[in-house]
Amino acid sequence: MDAKRYTGPQAGSQKYDLLTALSVAGLSGSPGFQTSMLRLVALVTARYNWGRNELTVGQREMARLWSVDERTVKREIKRLTAASILLQLRPGVRGRVAAYRLNIAEIHRLSAPVWDRVGPDYADRMAQQAPPPAAPTVTQVDFAAAQLADPPQQIDPPAGQGGPWARTLARLAQLEPALHRSWFAALTPGACEAGVLTLRAPSQFQARYVQTHHQRLLLGTAQMEFPELRRIEICA
């Protein structure tokens, strides 16, 4: 599912509709899920960067916003990413905070059964905004049981294609399917030494284009699977 960006004349009302979806979905769920959705709504309202379509907030700031400790923040973020409500763009490494993106398709799926409780006009608008259906790739999480336990990771490598680069491609396919199809899927890994990952592209043009235009996304995603990674070099 291609990432939806809330820009243009209708962006303001669409943001309100999305926050409403999170709210009513939370209110219809278990107490643990209600708490998670309330925290997420507060976080998105206060700190989501709609222009870049990402959330970059440190755990200390989240803890202050939610009136909890940082350990609770870690558990909450793990629950939200395990449920694929939040997608992680890049990890927090070397003093840099982690980055996340709202998974609009999953939020629509979770909230669709309760749209009519807001009103028929709201249900119609949300149906028009809903992304087309895609094959399910999420892990269902029991938020009530997850209050005291860490959930599993939400992304598995494609069958028969284990390893950190395969998992990186799986993450990219979930985050940016169109970019994955056009630019990332054909990249093949070489050596990863001294914090530098070497990739090979089918052509010099593709290598240069990815290096110039998509380096930030590619590096951030790869760092979740290559913890010591500092740089990516792409050659043909």
Side-chain angles (χ1 to χ4, degrees), residues 39 72 100 112 114 123-124 138 142 175 193 211 226 231:
R39 288 170 175 167
T72 300
Y100 303 90
V114 293
D124 288 344
V138 302
D142 183 343
L175 287 169
E193 299 175 343
Q211 194 89 46
F226 299 86
R231 190 171 77 255

Side-chain angles (χ1 to χ4, degrees), residues 52-179:
R52 295 176 64 171
N53 197 19
E54 68 178 37
L55 176 70
T56 50
V57 183
Q59 291 181 355
R60 183 175 301 177
E61 187 176 357
M62 287 189 205
R64 185 170 61 249
L65 179 65
W66 291 345
S67 300
V68 298
D69 56 29
E70 292 185 43
R71 184 176 180 182
T72 300
V73 168
K74 292 179 182 178
R75 288 201 301 265
E76 190 67 88
I77 293 299
K78 285 184 178 180
R79 284 193 289 267
L80 291 168
T81 54
S84 287
I85 296 170
L86 283 181
L87 302 175
Q88 190 172 20
L89 296 174
R90 55 185 180 274
V93 293
R94 291 183 288 276
R96 183 184 65 183
V97 300
Y100 303 90
R101 173 178 294 164
L102 288 172
N103 187 348
I104 306 302
E106 181 62 10
I107 292 170
H108 276 247
R109 189 193 69 80
L110 283 172
S111 61
V114 293
W115 287 347
D116 59 346
R117 299 181 188 180
V118 181
D121 57 330
Y122 176 80
D124 288 344
R125 288 200 309 275
M126 291 299 285
Q128 293 173 12
Q129 297 173 28
T137 58
V138 302
T139 299
Q140 296 302 314
V141 175
D142 183 343
F143 272 71
Q147 292 298 308
L148 298 178
D150 290 342
Q153 293 294 317
Q154 79 272 28
I155 298 177
D156 295 320
Q161 299 182 32
W165 178 245
R167 293 192 295 271
T168 299
L169 286 178
R171 290 181 182 275
L172 289 166
Q174 185 179 31
L175 287 169
E176 294 283 1
L179 292 181

Side-chain angles (χ1 to χ4, degrees), residues 180-207:
H180 173 266
R181 290 191 299 269
S182 300
W183 300 106
F184 300 136
L187 299 176
T188 56
C192 185
E193 299 175 343
V196 179
L197 172 63
T198 302
L199 300 175
R200 184 169 293 277
S203 68
Q204 186 62 42
F205 170 78
Q206 184 163 346

